């Protein structure tokens, strides 16, 4: 009897054709990659040089952290504080990596290179696939497309900022936050996620006038554990109430 060597994962019910996965991945990569132009403009407008701006996209490659860093620097924040805020925003990618390492099961030699592409978009596309093959294709195509476009548009944005002069006069300093909010809003699908976002906004904006630049971002990160604690406390109280009712 011939041994079955095919990965059963590739025969999963609902598996997408490779072409469909590539199409979806390209759509995400192109749509988000073009927003690198906004980062290039914002970074150059905050005082970073062209090489510094391009190095951030090449080496950091996580949009939210990049915008947070240049935004804090533009507001006059301490570079160490700005870097700390960017770091804590990027920590989420480490948790993505834990999940993707099991899903993708890439060879050890490839993992250090793949780690550079572990971001929100590649994770979302990979997790949306019902098979390992689809997840690998989605991750690779999204990561490659996004990395190339993000870095190219960062360069164009930085060059454009130098050409137009004062970016504040054009209101381009708001481009980064606007793009980030546009990416974030559709992800808030549950009441808990919306509550975390609302509390984070209140903390960030409320503390902005009284704390050094970059620090409100760090404080706003406490919104998640606070909301989760409150939710757990409420669920516990509801459980105790139900138990008391059952004893009567």
């Amino acid at each position: 009897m011939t041994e079955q060597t095919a990965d059963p994962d590739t025969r999963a019910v609902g598996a997408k054709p490779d072409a469909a996965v590539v199409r979806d991945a390209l759509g995400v990569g192109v749509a988000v990659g073009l927003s690198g132009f906004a980062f290039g403009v914002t970074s150059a407008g905050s005082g970073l040089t062209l090489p510094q701006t391009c190095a951030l996209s090449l080496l950091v490659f996580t949009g939210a952290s990049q915008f947070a860093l240049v935004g804090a620097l533009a507001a006059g924040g301490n570079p160490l504080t700005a870097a700390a805020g960017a770091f804590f925003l990027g920590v989420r990618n480490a948790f993505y990596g834990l999940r993707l390492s099991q899903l993708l099961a890439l060879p050890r030699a490839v993992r250090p290179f793949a780690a550079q592409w572990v971001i929100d978009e590649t994770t979302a596309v990979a997790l949306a696939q019902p098979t390992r093959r689809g997840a690998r294709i989605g991750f690779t195509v999204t990561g490659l497309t996004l990395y190339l476009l993000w870095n190219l548009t960062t360069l164009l944005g930085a060059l454009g900022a130098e050409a137009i002069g004062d970016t504040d006069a054009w209101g381009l300093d708001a481009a980064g936050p606007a793009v980030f909010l546009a990416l974030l809003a559709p992800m808030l699908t549950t009441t808990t996620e919306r509550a975390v976002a609302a509390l984070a906004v209140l903390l960030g904006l409320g503390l902005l006038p009284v704390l050094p630049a970059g620090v409100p971002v760090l404080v706003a990160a406490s919104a998640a554990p606070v909301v989760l604690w409150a939710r757990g406390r409420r669920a516990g109280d509801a459980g105790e109430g139900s138990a008391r009712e059952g004893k009567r």
Side-chain angles (χ1 to χ4, degrees):
M1 182 175 180
T2 304
E3 182 180 358
Q4 297 294 326
T5 57
D7 185 351
D9 181 61
T10 62
R11 302 191 299 271
V13 177
K16 292 182 181 179
D18 292 350
V21 178
V22 171
R23 181 194 61 220
D24 294 344
L26 284 174
V28 173
V30 171
V32 180
L34 293 176
S35 62
F37 185 86
F39 170 72
V41 171
T42 305
S43 180
S46 68
L48 271 68
T49 65
L50 178 62
Q52 289 172 332
T53 297
C54 292
L56 277 175
S57 284
L58 285 168
L59 302 177
V60 177
F61 187 55
T62 174
S65 296
Q66 293 178 230
F67 278 121
L69 176 63
V70 299
L73 293 176
N78 183 285
L80 292 179
T81 303
F87 170 79
F88 282 109
L89 279 175
V91 164
R92 70 191 188 284
N93 294 336
F95 295 98
Y96 294 161
L98 293 176
R99 178 67 182 94
L100 288 178
S101 66
Q102 299 175 349
L103 176 64
L104 301 177
L106 297 173
R108 290 185 179 274
V110 177
R111 292 179 186 177
F113 302 98
Q116 178 70 352
W117 290 353
V118 176
I119 54 176
D120 297 329
E121 293 76 19
T122 55
T123 301
V125 173
L127 292 179
Q129 311 309 319
T131 66
R132 175 166 294 165
R133 176 182 173 82
R136 286 179 171 180
I137 294 174
F139 176 85
T140 302
V141 174
T142 304
L144 179 60
T145 306
L146 185 49
Y147 189 76
L148 293 176
L149 270 180
W150 181 268
N151 281 281
L152 176 59
T153 54
T154 292
L155 173 61
L156 295 176
L159 291 174
E162 292 182 355
I164 65 177
D166 185 10
T167 56
D168 290 343
W170 295 78
L172 294 177
D173 54 321
V179 170
F180 181 65
L181 288 176
L183 294 174
L184 177 64
M187 300 180 185
L188 305 178
T189 57
T190 67
T191 302
T192 300
E193 291 170 349
R194 295 189 186 104
V196 170
L199 180 58
V201 169
L202 290 175
L203 288 173
L205 294 180
L207 296 174
L208 189 61
V210 297
L211 293 178
V215 176
V217 175
L218 300 180
V219 178
S222 65
V226 169
V227 170
L228 292 176
W229 173 83
R231 181 184 178 188
R233 179 72 178 272
R234 185 170 55 187
D237 292 342
E240 291 178 2
S242 298
R244 287 196 295 267
E245 289 293 332
K247 293 179 180 179
R248 292 180 182 178

